[in-house]
Amino acid sequence: MPKIRKKKLYLFLDNPDVEMTNNLAERTVKPYVINRKNFLFSDTEKGAAASAAVMSIIETAKRNELDVYGYLLYLLTVLPKWGADPTETQLKSVMPWSMALPPYCKQTYSEVK
């Protein structure tokens, strides 16, 4: 077996967190693929880029067990105040894994009233 293949194989054997397939990614995008005809605003390259950005934010929030609505509300409230060029510190504070997020972003769906 060539050395490069052996090195890649050991990555999976040594680290059980690394998945051998892209099934998780496939399942994540499936709802968007099924509904793509409903995304009428994606008829331009700019619209498609905006859709991809929003979908990425939503899926990242889900993976981090955030209340998606609360997180989007927070982002849409805070980001415009920072203008077109927010600092790295500001951006880090709104990442889905940030400890600085308000409590309503961290609620699970069943906890939202």
Side-chain angles (χ1 to χ4, degrees):
M1 176 183 325
K3 192 172 187 171
I4 189 82
R5 286 191 206 161
K6 187 175 182 180
K7 186 177 177 183
K8 289 180 181 179
L9 176 63
Y10 281 131
L11 173 71
F12 294 108
L13 297 176
D14 293 339
N15 188 348
D17 294 329
V18 177
E19 293 194 36
M20 293 183 77
T21 67
N22 68 344
N23 288 342
L24 178 61
E26 295 276 341
R27 287 190 309 270
T28 300
V29 299
K30 187 174 183 178
Y32 298 107
V33 172
I34 291 171
N35 289 315
R36 85 177 115 197
K37 290 188 180 187
N38 293 331
F39 297 128
L40 298 176
F41 54 89
S42 293
D43 61 348
T44 65
E45 190 173 324
K46 245 179 146 177
S51 296
V54 170
M55 290 177 216
S56 294
I57 291 168
I58 290 170
E59 290 305 321
T60 305
K62 286 180 185 177
R63 295 277 175 238
N64 284 275
E65 299 178 350
L66 296 179
D67 171 44
V68 175
Y69 176 78
Y71 182 60
L72 288 173
L73 179 65
Y74 178 66
L75 290 179
L76 292 172
T77 304
V78 172
L79 292 177
K81 294 176 186 175
W82 294 341
D85 194 24
T87 66
E88 188 173 332
T89 304
Q90 288 173 320
L91 291 176
K92 283 183 178 181
S93 73
V94 297
M95 291 292 132
W97 47 85
S98 171
M99 298 306 288
L101 292 177
Y104 66 87
C105 291
K106 297 177 184 179
Q107 292 177 321
T108 61
Y109 183 74
S110 61
E111 294 172 336
V112 176
K113 295 179 183 175

